[in-house]
């Protein structure tokens, strides 16, 4: 967009076109997306904004249906529109109409065999898999480094897309149908983008995709992540590499070894358990059980006792019995997770689970959700208390004279897993890595005291 003459602004009220990136995964996220579109539409009554355009997963998943249901959106653009988004926005801004697409199953756009997908990828719109180099005039002074990207803030943390899509067929999830089959970005693109981000002052990168444990399978090497992580950790300026969203059924001993022993790679495990009762997991088309999951966690902690582990769980799944719920409680009580997300089951259009019988009453689902949420809150607080007395490496993310200095330790991912309040901010600035001793807790959050002479990420530390 910048290459085509558009100027990005921080305040939506200053925009001629407000582009809203939507989510199409669960009802709460869809509602948030619609609310954001309506909020942007209000700008047209008392600002310079002339058009509101929906993009992202909800726009891709529903297309014409969303356009008809939400006339406040002046345009609904799917993934196939992204390569020509500048022209699309100009048409809409000029009063023209760009017809929203009819959604299709994006799993059918790439070959079934992962080994054949890379050759076909150029013909398919894959958000985040852009061209290898920045165009002339937009590249940083050190030369072309990364796929087309523009940083919108000065945060010391940035996400890096590792792959797109998913080949798993969980019965409750519609994501593969609108995100498509799994396809990896090439290691060189991931490395180049990371180098570029480091030049912009980024200290921590978070590798994201729908399933990071599958990385490389379409490139002929299912263990490619194990070799890529050390290379990313060696990029000048990068102090921490974090991997999100790992499938328990695909965890490999070699990957556990790399995540627990590689300098600058966070021993952090975002494991998608979803439940632990065998019957529920099979109905979800997933694998494992309480004892296998606990064994996995024991293996991880035998190599890195202070490793961070988070997960999400669905309660009230069709057919879930009281015994199944008790089994989930048994796992949660023994797992010592640092962060727990709990969701009540609801039908997702187009999923296998939506056709299941033995649906639980909404009141029962709500009751179980409240019960497990209370348990989860208690358990993560207990886990935080276990960290009192430990030394943690904290990446400083905000410094405020009134609110104090906040950052995150290795076991805390951005926005989801809590944060660390440092008792002293003397000499600290955003982007600093500091060693600190945990002296207290506030729920999932930690309170820590910086250790004298432990500041990293500085010229002094480098020398």
């Amino acid at each position: 967009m910048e290459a085509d003459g558009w100027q990005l602004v921080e305040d939506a009220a200053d925009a001629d076109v407000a582009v809203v990136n939507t989510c199409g995964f669960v009802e709460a996220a869809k509602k948030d997306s619609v609310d954001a579109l309506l909020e942007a539409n209000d700008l047209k009554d008392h600002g310079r904004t002339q058009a509101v355009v929906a993009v992202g997963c909800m726009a891709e998943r529903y297309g014409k249906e969303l356009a008809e249901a939400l006339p406040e959106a002046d345009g609904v653009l799917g993934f196939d529109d992204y390569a020509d988004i500048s022209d699309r926005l100009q048409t809409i801004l000029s009063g023209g109409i760009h017809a929203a697409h009819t959604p299709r199953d994006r799993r059918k756009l790439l070959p079934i065999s992962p080994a054949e997908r890379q050759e076909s990828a150029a013909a398919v719109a894959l958000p985040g898999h852009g061209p290898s180099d920045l165009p002339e005039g937009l590249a940083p002074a050190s030369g072309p480094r990364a796929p087309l990207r523009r940083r919108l803030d000065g945060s010391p943390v940035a996400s890096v897309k590792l792959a797109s899509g998913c080949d798993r067929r969980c019965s409750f999830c519609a994501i593969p149908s609108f995100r498509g089959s799994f396809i990896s970005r090439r290691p060189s693109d991931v490395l180049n983008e990371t180098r570029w981000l480091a030049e912009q002052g980024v200290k921590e990168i978070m590798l994201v995709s729908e399933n990071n444990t599958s990385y490389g399978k379409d490139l002929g090497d299912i263990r490619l992540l194990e070799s890529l992580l050390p290379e990313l950790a060696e990029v000048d300026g990068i102090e921490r590499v974090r991997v999100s969203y790992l499938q328990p059924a695909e965890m490999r001993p070699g990957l556990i070894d790399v995540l627990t022993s590689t300098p600058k790679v966070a021993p952090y495990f975002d494991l998608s358990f979803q439940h632990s009762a065998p019957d529920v997991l099979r109905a979800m088309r997933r694998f494992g059980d309480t004892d296998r999951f606990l064994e996995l966690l024991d293996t991880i902690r035998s190599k890195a006792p202070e490793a961070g582990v988070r997960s999400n769980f669905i309660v009230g799944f069709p057919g879930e019995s009281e015994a199944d719920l008790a089994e989930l409680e048994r796992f949660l009580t023994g797992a010592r997770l640092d962060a727990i997300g709990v969701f009540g089951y609801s039908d997702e259009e187009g999923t296998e689970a939506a056709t299941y019988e033995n649906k639980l009453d909404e009141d029962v689902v709500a009751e179980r959700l409240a019960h497990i949420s209370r348990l989860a809150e208690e358990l993560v607080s207990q886990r935080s208390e276990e960290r009192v007395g430990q030394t943690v490496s904290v990446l400083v993310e905000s410094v405020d004279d009134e609110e104090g200095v906040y950052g995150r330790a290795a076991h805390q991912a951005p926005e989801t897993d809590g944060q660390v309040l440092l008792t002293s901010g003397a000499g600290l600035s955003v982007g600093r890595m500091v060693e600190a001793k945990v002296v207290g807790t506030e729920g999932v959050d930690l309170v820590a005291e910086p250790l004298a002479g432990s500041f990293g990420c500085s010229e002094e530390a480098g020398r």
Side-chain angles (χ1 to χ4, degrees), residues 445-457:
D445 298 329
L446 303 180
V447 179
E449 178 181 336
L451 301 178
S454 68
F455 296 175
C457 293

Side-chain angles (χ1 to χ4, degrees), residues 336-409:
R336 297 168 53 230
L337 302 178
D338 292 277
I340 301 172
V342 187
F343 301 88
Y345 173 82
S346 62
D347 285 339
E348 269 297 309
E349 180 184 353
T351 63
E352 180 183 354
T355 69
Y356 285 177
E357 298 179 353
N358 300 321
K359 300 279 179 63
L360 277 63
D361 290 340
E362 291 184 4
D363 291 346
V364 174
V365 175
E367 181 181 340
R368 293 185 179 186
L369 173 61
H371 172 65
I372 296 297
S373 295
R374 287 193 297 269
L375 175 63
E377 185 175 353
E378 178 182 344
L379 291 172
V380 296
S381 295
Q382 291 176 4
R383 177 61 177 147
S384 292
E385 292 170 1
E386 291 180 20
R387 293 189 180 274
V388 174
Q390 294 180 1
T391 297
V392 292
S393 297
V394 180
L395 176 63
V396 178
E397 293 189 317
S398 67
V399 178
D400 186 279
D401 291 338
E402 295 183 1
E403 297 184 4
V405 179
Y406 284 89
R408 287 178 301 100

Side-chain angles (χ1 to χ4, degrees), residues 24-249:
F25 182 30
V26 293
E27 287 302 321
K30 295 176 196 173
K31 184 180 183 303
D32 287 345
S33 297
V34 171
D35 289 345
L37 286 163
L38 295 176
E39 181 181 350
N41 186 65
D42 290 341
L43 297 174
K44 294 193 289 186
D45 296 330
H46 46 76
R48 69 177 287 163
T49 306
Q50 302 170 49
V52 175
V53 176
V55 298
C57 288
M58 190 175 182
E60 172 61 37
R61 183 177 181 184
Y62 295 105
K64 286 184 178 180
E65 182 182 344
L66 178 62
E68 293 170 358
L70 198 68
E72 291 84 355
D74 299 286
V76 174
L77 304 181
F79 298 157
D80 292 334
D81 291 311
Y82 283 12
D84 301 310
I85 193 168
S86 182
D87 290 340
R88 301 285 188 267
L89 295 182
Q90 191 62 60
T91 296
I92 294 168
L93 189 60
S94 301
I97 297 176
H98 176 70
H101 69 289
T102 299
R104 53 180 172 168
D105 189 339
R106 298 191 72 87
R107 289 172 292 190
K108 299 178 181 179
L109 301 183
L110 290 170
I112 294 177
S113 171
E116 299 175 3
R117 290 176 189 166
Q118 290 289 332
E119 294 181 2
S120 306
V124 177
L126 298 169
H129 291 240
S132 298
D133 297 319
L134 291 161
E136 185 177 354
L138 288 183
S142 57
R145 286 286 195 187
L148 289 171
R149 180 162 183 169
R150 172 75 149 79
R151 297 218 71 208
L152 301 181
D153 59 32
S155 170
V157 185
S159 296
V160 176
K161 180 180 281 291
L162 194 62
S164 291
C166 184
D167 288 341
R168 302 188 72 87
R169 294 295 179 262
C170 301
S171 63
F172 56 83
C173 183
I175 287 178
S177 66
F178 58 87
R179 294 297 302 190
S181 299
F182 184 90
I183 185 164
S184 306
R185 290 182 67 197
R186 293 194 174 275
S188 58
D189 287 340
V190 178
L191 277 164
N192 284 339
E193 184 169 354
T194 299
R195 293 183 183 116
W196 179 80
L197 288 168
E199 291 175 352
Q200 313 307 306
V202 169
K203 300 300 180 184
E204 175 180 328
I205 62 164
M206 184 166 179
L207 300 177
V208 296
S209 78
E210 284 78 5
N211 179 9
N212 284 323
T213 32
S214 283
Y215 181 70
K217 72 176 186 179
D218 53 318
L219 295 172
D221 185 1
I222 190 59
R223 295 177 178 79
L224 192 56
L225 184 58
E226 285 95 306
S227 59
L228 177 61
L229 285 172
E231 293 187 72
L232 292 171
E234 292 175 0
V235 172
D236 288 343
I238 295 298
E239 293 295 323
R240 180 183 289 158
V241 178
R242 185 184 304 278
V243 184
S244 69
Y245 215 75
L246 302 165
Q247 284 289 344

